[in-house]
Structure formats: structure tokens, C-alpha cells
Amino acid sequence: MAPPDPSTVRFDGPWIHRDIHANGIRFHTVEVGASAPDAPLVVLLHGFADFWWSWRHQLTAMSAEGYRAVAVDLRGYGDSDKPPRGYDGWTLAGDIAGLIRAMGYGEATLVGHADGGLVCWATAVLHARLVRSIALVSSPHPVALKQAVLHDRYQRKALLPSFVSCQVPWRPERRLTRDNGSEVERLIRERSGPAWTENPEFDVVMSRMRSAIQIPGTAHCTLEYQRWAFRSQFRPDGSRFMASMDQTLRIPVLHLHGDLDPYVLADTVRRSHRFAPTQQMHTVPGVGHYAHWEAPERVNAALLDLVAPRTV
């Protein structure tokens, strides 16, 4: 059977699919309906082995409230370009900075899950003038995450084996794509709360996630994020990146964390406060690593509170 074409992630529905060129490559973006010219921009960035579809509930909710909510297939994913390089923190931040400008905006709120959260942190530091606020879903500041892995044996046990298993060549790619992408479903089940895996929506989501990881080149690009994040810690480029990230953010920061998340622990999320004193931690009860899927109404309410204009 032939692997899925990248265009298979362009689902029918209330979605407007666009191709936007930024930072030297083409990105597939998705939004709902036509936004007002002055609608505030919210950019939604997915995580590992994922694609734009994971933000479907946030796209509709935020668009209904008058925001221009745009979900992006990150470089290497979905129907975006899959270049052989560029999976480092600087380039990924440049991708989002370029997208914001290409859409005609001078600033945006960024929302990211897991690897997408790393991109939020990096863009907020490296392109500060373009970022109004950020919201993270189980995605600690990169320096805080490194410190937790080094000094917290529980976080190290939860996260490091997965990172290490990605470092060998080709075998992880085959593991992600064999048996029609069953490894993606296994990882999601392992990191989700029990109620989500019993939700009728779960099987539909898994079918689409398993298909998307089989798009040619996607599994390799997915793993390049993990490989750079791990290997750069032992190289000068990683040291420079961590040094550049060791800054204090003064913009509004919201961190959403499922209280059943077995992969990113609550103490690790709290460590990010050192780098973002304004960080508000919002614990979502009864869910795991994918709070935006597992409890979309609660996540949407928190996100809308973050982006709402403040009155003095």
C-alpha cells in the first residue's frame, strides 16, 4: 500500500487551508473562516508526532470569539515542507517569526504543546518584539527541563528513555511507521489520562495521527527535533542556545498541565517560573499529557482569558 500523500491532512470542514512561505520554506496553515483585519493573531503549534489537527477545538473556539487563530504544521510535519535541516531552536523560532510577519502582523500570542512549546519559548526570547504572550501545554522552559532531567530522578526516568531511544539512526523511524503507525497510538495512550482513551473521539484522532506519521519524510523530521534537543546538549551550539534562553520573560505566560501527565511532571513545570515570573500554572484535573485534547473546554476557557484585553 502506498504511503499517504501530504495533502491527506487537508481535511474538509470549516477549515481554510493556506500555504505560507516563511524562513525559506512553505508552511501549511489552517484557520476557520475569514477574520476581521484587526483580529488579534493566535498561532497554535503542535507537539511530537502530531500535526495541526490537534488544535481543532481551539481553532473553532478562539475564532468564534473574534481572534484569528491559525494552526501550523511545523517544518517537517503534515503538508509543510520537509527540509533535511533546520530542526534547531534558532531556526524553529525563525520559522514562527517569519510566519507572523508573512501574515501581516507585528505581534501574536503563541500556544504550544510539547515540542511546539519549545518553539514558543524560543520565539519569545529570540524575537521578543513579535510575541505578545505565550501559553504552554506540558512544555517547560528548555533550561528548566534540562535542570529537571539532571537533578530530578523522577523526571529523568519519565523522559530520558524516550529521548535516548530516538538517537540511533533509522530504527526509530521504522518503529514510528510500522504497523500503520501503531507506535504513535501506543505513546499517546501511555501519556494520556484514562478517560480520554475511552472517549468516542479517541479512535478518530488516532486514525488521523497514525496516518499523518506515515507521510514520507515525516517520521524522520519528527525525530530530528528530538535528536537536536538531546545531542546539542553535548555540543557548542547547544551551550549557546541554552545561554541565549537564560533570560527573564516579562510577558504573560500561561502553563496548562494535566495532573495525570506521566511524561512532564508538575515540579518540572514549576521550575519555569524562574524564567517567567509572570507564569500562571493552570492544573487541569483528570487529564494527562494532552490537555488540549482531553479537556478542550477547560483549556479553551484558560486560553481565552489569557488573550482577552486587560483593562487598567
Side-chain angles (χ1 to χ4, degrees):
M1 182 181 296
D5 187 83
S7 65
T8 55
V9 303
R10 294 182 179 242
F11 306 133
D12 293 333
W15 321 115
I16 295 176
H17 298 273
R18 289 193 170 96
D19 293 309
I20 299 177
H21 290 264
N23 208 24
I25 66 171
R26 177 191 57 83
F27 291 92
H28 170 227
T29 70
V30 181
E31 52 193 299
V32 180
S35 302
D38 59 347
L41 178 64
V42 181
V43 181
L44 303 154
L45 308 172
H46 63 78
F48 174 78
D50 201 345
F51 67 114
W52 75 268
W53 174 249
S54 66
W55 297 110
R56 62 202 174 280
H57 295 299
Q58 288 69 45
L59 281 171
T60 53
M62 302 194 85
S63 297
E65 293 297 324
Y67 297 94
R68 185 180 180 187
V70 179
V72 180
D73 281 340
L74 294 173
R75 75 164 49 214
Y77 282 96
D79 200 15
S80 289
D81 282 349
K82 298 167 179 60
R85 289 174 293 278
Y87 301 94
D88 59 275
W90 287 286
T91 304
L92 296 170
D95 288 348
I96 304 310
L99 275 169
I100 293 169
R101 294 190 184 102
M103 287 187 280
Y105 283 81
E107 64 172 11
T109 290
L110 306 182
V111 182
H113 171 240
D115 290 353
L118 165 66
V119 182
C120 290
W121 288 112
T123 310
V125 170
L126 301 176
H127 303 275
R129 293 184 179 180
L130 293 174
V131 182
R132 180 173 59 248
S133 57
I134 61 173
L136 302 313
V137 180
S138 289
S139 187
H141 187 282
V143 180
L145 182 60
K146 179 179 180 179
Q147 291 171 344
V149 170
L150 290 175
H151 302 295
D152 182 341
R153 62 190 178 96
Y154 297 107
Q155 182 61 80
R156 185 163 57 248
K157 182 179 179 181
L159 186 141
L160 198 57
S162 175
F163 262 60
V164 172
S165 71
C166 294
Q167 304 310 311
V168 298
W170 302 121
R171 185 178 299 173
E173 282 87 342
R174 289 195 291 267
R175 185 168 62 242
L176 282 176
T177 55
R178 71 188 177 198
D179 190 23
N180 294 321
S182 63
E183 176 68 4
V184 171
E185 180 170 342
R186 186 193 71 79
L187 289 171
I188 292 171
R189 284 183 178 275
E190 185 178 87
R191 298 170 185 176
S192 297
W196 167 236
T197 60
E198 299 299 323
N199 189 304
E201 190 182 26
F202 182 81
D203 288 341
V204 175
V205 175
M206 289 306 96
S207 175
R208 293 188 169 186
M209 295 294 165
R210 289 175 64 164
S211 176
I213 199 65
Q214 296 176 73
I215 292 170
T218 299
H220 177 69
C221 296
T222 292
L223 291 161
E224 287 296 281
Y225 285 77
Q226 307 284 302
R227 288 165 176 158
W228 180 82
F230 181 79
R231 296 174 188 179
S232 67
Q233 303 306 311
F234 310 99
R235 301 193 304 241
D237 62 318
S239 298
R240 290 194 300 271
F241 180 73
M242 286 298 182
S244 70
M245 293 301 295
D246 193 359
Q247 298 184 34
T248 301
L249 285 179
R250 299 296 179 185
I251 59 174
V253 176
L254 171 68
H255 212 134
L256 297 140
H257 183 257
D259 67 349
L260 300 182
D261 189 343
Y263 189 61
V264 174
L265 307 184
D267 284 347
T268 304
V269 172
R270 293 188 188 99
R271 286 175 181 264
S272 298
H273 186 78
R274 174 191 153 194
F275 306 96
T278 62
Q279 173 177 281
Q280 297 182 24
M281 184 171 172
H282 185 99
T283 301
V284 186
V287 307
H289 189 57
Y290 305 91
H292 54 311
W293 302 357
E294 300 178 58
E297 294 83 5
R298 291 179 178 177
V299 169
N300 293 348
L303 292 176
L304 287 168
D305 184 63
L306 173 71
V307 298
R310 298 298 193 266
T311 56
V312 179

PDB file of all heavy atoms in Angstrom, residues 161-185:
ATOM      1  N   PRO A 161      14.467   8.019  28.826  1.00  0.00           N
ATOM      2  CA  PRO A 161      14.498   6.825  27.969  1.00  0.00           C
ATOM      3  C   PRO A 161      13.931   7.057  26.579  1.00  0.00           C
ATOM      4  O   PRO A 161      14.457   6.549  25.589  1.00  0.00           O
ATOM      5  CB  PRO A 161      13.656   5.809  28.760  1.00  0.00           C
ATOM      6  CG  PRO A 161      13.806   6.232  30.179  1.00  0.00           C
ATOM      7  CD  PRO A 161      13.845   7.731  30.138  1.00  0.00           C
ATOM      8  N   SER A 162      12.858   7.860  26.476  1.00  0.00           N
ATOM      9  CA  SER A 162      12.275   8.144  25.171  1.00  0.00           C
ATOM     10  C   SER A 162      13.234   8.948  24.306  1.00  0.00           C
ATOM     11  O   SER A 162      13.402   8.671  23.107  1.00  0.00           O
ATOM     12  CB  SER A 162      10.955   8.900  25.357  1.00  0.00           C
ATOM     13  OG  SER A 162      10.414   9.285  24.121  1.00  0.00           O
ATOM     14  N   PHE A 163      13.885   9.951  24.912  1.00  0.00           N
ATOM     15  CA  PHE A 163      14.835  10.763  24.161  1.00  0.00           C
ATOM     16  C   PHE A 163      16.017   9.920  23.673  1.00  0.00           C
ATOM     17  O   PHE A 163      16.427  10.028  22.518  1.00  0.00           O
ATOM     18  CB  PHE A 163      15.346  11.910  25.044  1.00  0.00           C
ATOM     19  CG  PHE A 163      14.638  13.206  24.800  1.00  0.00           C
ATOM     20  CD1 PHE A 163      13.275  13.312  24.992  1.00  0.00           C
ATOM     21  CD2 PHE A 163      15.323  14.331  24.379  1.00  0.00           C
ATOM     22  CE1 PHE A 163      12.596  14.501  24.767  1.00  0.00           C
ATOM     23  CE2 PHE A 163      14.667  15.534  24.155  1.00  0.00           C
ATOM     24  CZ  PHE A 163      13.303  15.616  24.352  1.00  0.00           C
ATOM     25  N   VAL A 164      16.538   9.086  24.534  1.00  0.00           N
ATOM     26  CA  VAL A 164      17.696   8.272  24.163  1.00  0.00           C
ATOM     27  C   VAL A 164      17.342   7.296  23.047  1.00  0.00           C
ATOM     28  O   VAL A 164      18.123   7.069  22.123  1.00  0.00           O
ATOM     29  CB  VAL A 164      18.241   7.536  25.401  1.00  0.00           C
ATOM     30  CG1 VAL A 164      19.321   6.524  25.009  1.00  0.00           C
ATOM     31  CG2 VAL A 164      18.802   8.532  26.410  1.00  0.00           C
ATOM     32  N   SER A 165      16.130   6.728  23.102  1.00  0.00           N
ATOM     33  CA  SER A 165      15.733   5.751  22.089  1.00  0.00           C
ATOM     34  C   SER A 165      15.618   6.360  20.699  1.00  0.00           C
ATOM     35  O   SER A 165      15.637   5.643  19.699  1.00  0.00           O
ATOM     36  CB  SER A 165      14.405   5.105  22.476  1.00  0.00           C
ATOM     37  OG  SER A 165      13.329   6.018  22.342  1.00  0.00           O
ATOM     38  N   CYS A 166      15.506   7.687  20.619  1.00  0.00           N
ATOM     39  CA  CYS A 166      15.392   8.358  19.319  1.00  0.00           C
ATOM     40  C   CYS A 166      16.735   8.606  18.645  1.00  0.00           C
ATOM     41  O   CYS A 166      16.763   9.031  17.478  1.00  0.00           O
ATOM     42  CB  CYS A 166      14.681   9.710  19.490  1.00  0.00           C
ATOM     43  SG  CYS A 166      12.962   9.606  19.994  1.00  0.00           S
ATOM     44  N   GLN A 167      17.827   8.381  19.343  1.00  0.00           N
ATOM     45  CA  GLN A 167      19.114   8.867  18.856  1.00  0.00           C
ATOM     46  C   GLN A 167      19.786   7.963  17.824  1.00  0.00           C
ATOM     47  O   GLN A 167      20.627   8.415  17.061  1.00  0.00           O
ATOM     48  CB  GLN A 167      20.064   9.095  20.044  1.00  0.00           C
ATOM     49  CG  GLN A 167      19.520  10.049  21.104  1.00  0.00           C
ATOM     50  CD  GLN A 167      19.014  11.355  20.511  1.00  0.00           C
ATOM     51  OE1 GLN A 167      19.702  11.999  19.721  1.00  0.00           O
ATOM     52  NE2 GLN A 167      17.799  11.748  20.896  1.00  0.00           N
ATOM     53  N   VAL A 168      19.439   6.692  17.787  1.00  0.00           N
ATOM     54  CA  VAL A 168      20.078   5.792  16.817  1.00  0.00           C
ATOM     55  C   VAL A 168      19.483   6.070  15.435  1.00  0.00           C
ATOM     56  O   VAL A 168      18.346   6.557  15.318  1.00  0.00           O
ATOM     57  CB  VAL A 168      19.877   4.320  17.213  1.00  0.00           C
ATOM     58  CG1 VAL A 168      20.532   4.043  18.554  1.00  0.00           C
ATOM     59  CG2 VAL A 168      18.404   3.958  17.262  1.00  0.00           C
ATOM     60  N   PRO A 169      20.225   5.765  14.368  1.00  0.00           N
ATOM     61  CA  PRO A 169      19.696   6.042  13.020  1.00  0.00           C
ATOM     62  C   PRO A 169      18.678   5.009  12.560  1.00  0.00           C
ATOM     63  O   PRO A 169      18.799   3.819  12.863  1.00  0.00           O
ATOM     64  CB  PRO A 169      20.962   6.007  12.146  1.00  0.00           C
ATOM     65  CG  PRO A 169      21.911   5.134  12.892  1.00  0.00           C
ATOM     66  CD  PRO A 169      21.630   5.337  14.343  1.00  0.00           C
ATOM     67  N   TRP A 170      17.641   5.487  11.857  1.00  0.00           N
ATOM     68  CA  TRP A 170      16.674   4.717  11.086  1.00  0.00           C
ATOM     69  C   TRP A 170      15.761   3.805  11.903  1.00  0.00           C
ATOM     70  O   TRP A 170      14.585   3.694  11.590  1.00  0.00           O
ATOM     71  CB  TRP A 170      17.381   3.880  10.000  1.00  0.00           C
ATOM     72  CG  TRP A 170      18.178   4.752   9.076  1.00  0.00           C
ATOM     73  CD1 TRP A 170      19.521   4.699   8.837  1.00  0.00           C
ATOM     74  CD2 TRP A 170      17.681   5.846   8.290  1.00  0.00           C
ATOM     75  NE1 TRP A 170      19.899   5.701   7.958  1.00  0.00           N
ATOM     76  CE2 TRP A 170      18.779   6.411   7.599  1.00  0.00           C
ATOM     77  CE3 TRP A 170      16.414   6.405   8.095  1.00  0.00           C
ATOM     78  CZ2 TRP A 170      18.645   7.496   6.751  1.00  0.00           C
ATOM     79  CZ3 TRP A 170      16.282   7.495   7.255  1.00  0.00           C
ATOM     80  CH2 TRP A 170      17.397   8.017   6.595  1.00  0.00           C
ATOM     81  N   ARG A 171      16.273   3.151  12.910  1.00  0.00           N
ATOM     82  CA  ARG A 171      15.400   2.242  13.666  1.00  0.00           C
ATOM     83  C   ARG A 171      14.189   2.967  14.270  1.00  0.00           C
ATOM     84  O   ARG A 171      13.062   2.462  14.186  1.00  0.00           O
ATOM     85  CB  ARG A 171      16.193   1.522  14.754  1.00  0.00           C
ATOM     86  CG  ARG A 171      15.373   0.477  15.509  1.00  0.00           C
ATOM     87  CD  ARG A 171      16.217  -0.233  16.552  1.00  0.00           C
ATOM     88  NE  ARG A 171      17.334  -0.939  15.938  1.00  0.00           N
ATOM     89  CZ  ARG A 171      18.306  -1.526  16.625  1.00  0.00           C
ATOM     90  NH1 ARG A 171      18.320  -1.436  17.959  1.00  0.00           N
ATOM     91  NH2 ARG A 171      19.271  -2.160  16.009  1.00  0.00           N
ATOM     92  N   PRO A 172      14.363   4.152  14.876  1.00  0.00           N
ATOM     93  CA  PRO A 172      13.181   4.854  15.408  1.00  0.00           C
ATOM     94  C   PRO A 172      12.180   5.237  14.324  1.00  0.00           C
ATOM     95  O   PRO A 172      10.965   5.208  14.568  1.00  0.00           O
ATOM     96  CB  PRO A 172      13.791   6.088  16.073  1.00  0.00           C
ATOM     97  CG  PRO A 172      15.202   5.716  16.370  1.00  0.00           C
ATOM     98  CD  PRO A 172      15.618   4.831  15.237  1.00  0.00           C
ATOM     99  N   GLU A 173      12.659   5.590  13.135  1.00  0.00           N
ATOM    100  CA  GLU A 173      11.742   5.904  12.036  1.00  0.00           C
ATOM    101  C   GLU A 173      10.887   4.683  11.690  1.00  0.00           C
ATOM    102  O   GLU A 173       9.665   4.804  11.498  1.00  0.00           O
ATOM    103  CB  GLU A 173      12.526   6.339  10.792  1.00  0.00           C
ATOM    104  CG  GLU A 173      13.036   7.766  10.831  1.00  0.00           C
ATOM    105  CD  GLU A 173      14.406   7.908  11.503  1.00  0.00           C
ATOM    106  OE1 GLU A 173      14.819   6.987  12.243  1.00  0.00           O
ATOM    107  OE2 GLU A 173      15.052   8.947  11.298  1.00  0.00           O
ATOM    108  N   ARG A 174      11.522   3.533  11.614  1.00  0.00           N
ATOM    109  CA  ARG A 174      10.773   2.310  11.294  1.00  0.00           C
ATOM    110  C   ARG A 174       9.791   1.979  12.404  1.00  0.00           C
ATOM    111  O   ARG A 174       8.677   1.515  12.136  1.00  0.00           O
ATOM    112  CB  ARG A 174      11.748   1.155  11.059  1.00  0.00           C
ATOM    113  CG  ARG A 174      12.548   1.280   9.763  1.00  0.00           C
ATOM    114  CD  ARG A 174      13.225  -0.019   9.390  1.00  0.00           C
ATOM    115  NE  ARG A 174      14.304  -0.346  10.311  1.00  0.00           N
ATOM    116  CZ  ARG A 174      15.579  -0.022  10.120  1.00  0.00           C
ATOM    117  NH1 ARG A 174      15.933   0.668   9.032  1.00  0.00           N
ATOM    118  NH2 ARG A 174      16.507  -0.367  10.982  1.00  0.00           N
ATOM    119  N   ARG A 175      10.197   2.222  13.634  1.00  0.00           N
ATOM    120  CA  ARG A 175       9.296   1.939  14.762  1.00  0.00           C
ATOM    121  C   ARG A 175       8.050   2.818  14.696  1.00  0.00           C
ATOM    122  O   ARG A 175       6.939   2.371  14.982  1.00  0.00           O
ATOM    123  CB  ARG A 175      10.042   2.157  16.084  1.00  0.00           C
ATOM    124  CG  ARG A 175       9.221   1.780  17.314  1.00  0.00           C
ATOM    125  CD  ARG A 175      10.089   1.727  18.567  1.00  0.00           C
ATOM    126  NE  ARG A 175      10.684   3.014  18.892  1.00  0.00           N
ATOM    127  CZ  ARG A 175      11.982   3.261  18.934  1.00  0.00           C
ATOM    128  NH1 ARG A 175      12.858   2.306  18.651  1.00  0.00           N
ATOM    129  NH2 ARG A 175      12.444   4.462  19.260  1.00  0.00           N
ATOM    130  N   LEU A 176       8.211   4.093  14.326  1.00  0.00           N
ATOM    131  CA  LEU A 176       7.063   5.009  14.263  1.00  0.00           C
ATOM    132  C   LEU A 176       6.097   4.680  13.127  1.00  0.00           C
ATOM    133  O   LEU A 176       4.891   4.933  13.244  1.00  0.00           O
ATOM    134  CB  LEU A 176       7.549   6.454  14.103  1.00  0.00           C
ATOM    135  CG  LEU A 176       8.066   7.175  15.342  1.00  0.00           C
ATOM    136  CD1 LEU A 176       8.590   8.549  14.973  1.00  0.00           C
ATOM    137  CD2 LEU A 176       6.978   7.300  16.405  1.00  0.00           C
ATOM    138  N   THR A 177       6.601   4.140  12.038  1.00  0.00           N
ATOM    139  CA  THR A 177       5.760   3.957  10.855  1.00  0.00           C
ATOM    140  C   THR A 177       5.252   2.525  10.660  1.00  0.00           C
ATOM    141  O   THR A 177       4.277   2.335   9.915  1.00  0.00           O
ATOM    142  CB  THR A 177       6.521   4.370   9.589  1.00  0.00           C
ATOM    143  OG1 THR A 177       7.754   3.637   9.507  1.00  0.00           O
ATOM    144  CG2 THR A 177       6.822   5.861   9.606  1.00  0.00           C
ATOM    145  N   ARG A 178       5.849   1.546  11.306  1.00  0.00           N
ATOM    146  CA  ARG A 178       5.416   0.168  11.074  1.00  0.00           C
ATOM    147  C   ARG A 178       3.999  -0.055  11.629  1.00  0.00           C
ATOM    148  O   ARG A 178       3.540   0.677  12.502  1.00  0.00           O
ATOM    149  CB  ARG A 178       6.399  -0.813  11.704  1.00  0.00           C
ATOM    150  CG  ARG A 178       6.365  -0.850  13.216  1.00  0.00           C
ATOM    151  CD  ARG A 178       7.493  -1.682  13.760  1.00  0.00           C
ATOM    152  NE  ARG A 178       7.499  -1.658  15.229  1.00  0.00           N
ATOM    153  CZ  ARG A 178       8.556  -2.001  15.970  1.00  0.00           C
ATOM    154  NH1 ARG A 178       9.688  -2.382  15.380  1.00  0.00           N
ATOM    155  NH2 ARG A 178       8.473  -1.957  17.284  1.00  0.00           N
ATOM    156  N   ASP A 179       3.361  -1.089  11.096  1.00  0.00           N
ATOM    157  CA  ASP A 179       2.013  -1.454  11.536  1.00  0.00           C
ATOM    158  C   ASP A 179       1.079  -0.240  11.486  1.00  0.00           C
ATOM    159  O   ASP A 179       0.320   0.026  12.418  1.00  0.00           O
ATOM    160  CB  ASP A 179       2.058  -2.039  12.950  1.00  0.00           C
ATOM    161  CG  ASP A 179       0.736  -2.669  13.369  1.00  0.00           C
ATOM    162  OD1 ASP A 179      -0.046  -3.043  12.466  1.00  0.00           O
ATOM    163  OD2 ASP A 179       0.470  -2.761  14.592  1.00  0.00           O
ATOM    164  N   ASN A 180       1.165   0.493  10.374  1.00  0.00           N
ATOM    165  CA  ASN A 180       0.289   1.650  10.157  1.00  0.00           C
ATOM    166  C   ASN A 180       0.350   2.671  11.294  1.00  0.00           C
ATOM    167  O   ASN A 180      -0.673   3.256  11.684  1.00  0.00           O
ATOM    168  CB  ASN A 180      -1.158   1.191   9.953  1.00  0.00           C
ATOM    169  CG  ASN A 180      -1.334   0.387   8.681  1.00  0.00           C
ATOM    170  OD1 ASN A 180      -0.739   0.707   7.652  1.00  0.00           O
ATOM    171  ND2 ASN A 180      -2.114  -0.674   8.750  1.00  0.00           N
ATOM    172  N   GLY A 181       1.544   2.903  11.815  1.00  0.00           N
ATOM    173  CA  GLY A 181       1.719   3.947  12.824  1.00  0.00           C
ATOM    174  C   GLY A 181       1.237   3.581  14.211  1.00  0.00           C
ATOM    175  O   GLY A 181       0.931   4.473  15.018  1.00  0.00           O
ATOM    176  N   SER A 182       1.197   2.309  14.540  1.00  0.00           N
ATOM    177  CA  SER A 182       0.674   1.887  15.850  1.00  0.00           C
ATOM    178  C   SER A 182       1.512   2.421  17.009  1.00  0.00           C
ATOM    179  O   SER A 182       0.998   2.585  18.123  1.00  0.00           O
ATOM    180  CB  SER A 182       0.595   0.363  15.933  1.00  0.00           C
ATOM    181  OG  SER A 182       1.891  -0.221  15.837  1.00  0.00           O
ATOM    182  N   GLU A 183       2.787   2.712  16.780  1.00  0.00           N
ATOM    183  CA  GLU A 183       3.629   3.230  17.858  1.00  0.00           C
ATOM    184  C   GLU A 183       3.160   4.602  18.321  1.00  0.00           C
ATOM    185  O   GLU A 183       3.236   4.922  19.513  1.00  0.00           O
ATOM    186  CB  GLU A 183       5.095   3.309  17.388  1.00  0.00           C
ATOM    187  CG  GLU A 183       6.058   3.917  18.392  1.00  0.00           C
ATOM    188  CD  GLU A 183       6.273   3.070  19.638  1.00  0.00           C
ATOM    189  OE1 GLU A 183       5.727   1.942  19.717  1.00  0.00           O
ATOM    190  OE2 GLU A 183       7.004   3.525  20.550  1.00  0.00           O
ATOM    191  N   VAL A 184       2.655   5.413  17.405  1.00  0.00           N
ATOM    192  CA  VAL A 184       2.126   6.724  17.790  1.00  0.00           C
ATOM    193  C   VAL A 184       0.944   6.546  18.742  1.00  0.00           C
ATOM    194  O   VAL A 184       0.854   7.209  19.783  1.00  0.00           O
ATOM    195  CB  VAL A 184       1.725   7.531  16.544  1.00  0.00           C
ATOM    196  CG1 VAL A 184       0.966   8.791  16.940  1.00  0.00           C
ATOM    197  CG2 VAL A 184       2.956   7.888  15.728  1.00  0.00           C
ATOM    198  N   GLU A 185       0.057   5.635  18.410  1.00  0.00           N
ATOM    199  CA  GLU A 185      -1.079   5.388  19.299  1.00  0.00           C
ATOM    200  C   GLU A 185      -0.611   4.851  20.650  1.00  0.00           C
ATOM    201  O   GLU A 185      -1.143   5.242  21.699  1.00  0.00           O
ATOM    202  CB  GLU A 185      -2.061   4.420  18.656  1.00  0.00           C
ATOM    203  CG  GLU A 185      -3.258   4.132  19.565  1.00  0.00           C
ATOM    204  CD  GLU A 185      -4.371   3.362  18.871  1.00  0.00           C
ATOM    205  OE1 GLU A 185      -4.406   3.336  17.613  1.00  0.00           O
ATOM    206  OE2 GLU A 185      -5.221   2.806  19.596  1.00  0.00           O
TER     207      GLU A 185
END
